[in-house]
Amino acid sequence: MRYVRLPSGVKNWLFSDTPKGARASADIYSIVETVKANGLDVFKYFELLLTVLPSMEFLTNPDILEELLLWNESVQKICKAI
């Protein structure tokens, strides 16, 4: 089992015991840091993604994912950090 050091200093080992788990953790951490770098609230952004994605038909029309990208004006309004 391998430990992954999170920016907050917490050790996370649940999903990093395989290469796929390590990749998934790296993807999530990358999204988190990108959201922060764009001045958005991480919780609000993930809440938006998890609320909107299930009802989107992005598998048949991947172009609609543009609506959820960080530079989209509506995303910035919804997820703006306080």
Side-chain angles (χ1 to χ4, degrees), residues 46-58 65 68:
F46 276 107
E47 182 179 39
L48 175 68
L49 289 180
L50 295 173
T51 303
V52 175
L53 276 175
S55 62
M56 292 180 87
E57 296 292 330
F58 61 87
L65 289 176
L68 296 175

Side-chain angles (χ1 to χ4, degrees), residues 29-46:
Y29 302 144
S30 177
I31 293 170
V32 167
E33 292 303 317
T34 304
V35 171
K36 285 190 216 176
N38 282 280
L40 301 178
D41 183 277
V42 176
F43 180 82
K44 288 179 184 176
Y45 186 67
F46 276 107

Side-chain angles (χ1 to χ4, degrees), residues 16 22 24 53 58 65 69 72 76 79:
S16 297
L53 276 175
F58 61 87
L65 289 176
L69 295 178
N72 186 302
Q76 289 191 4
C79 302

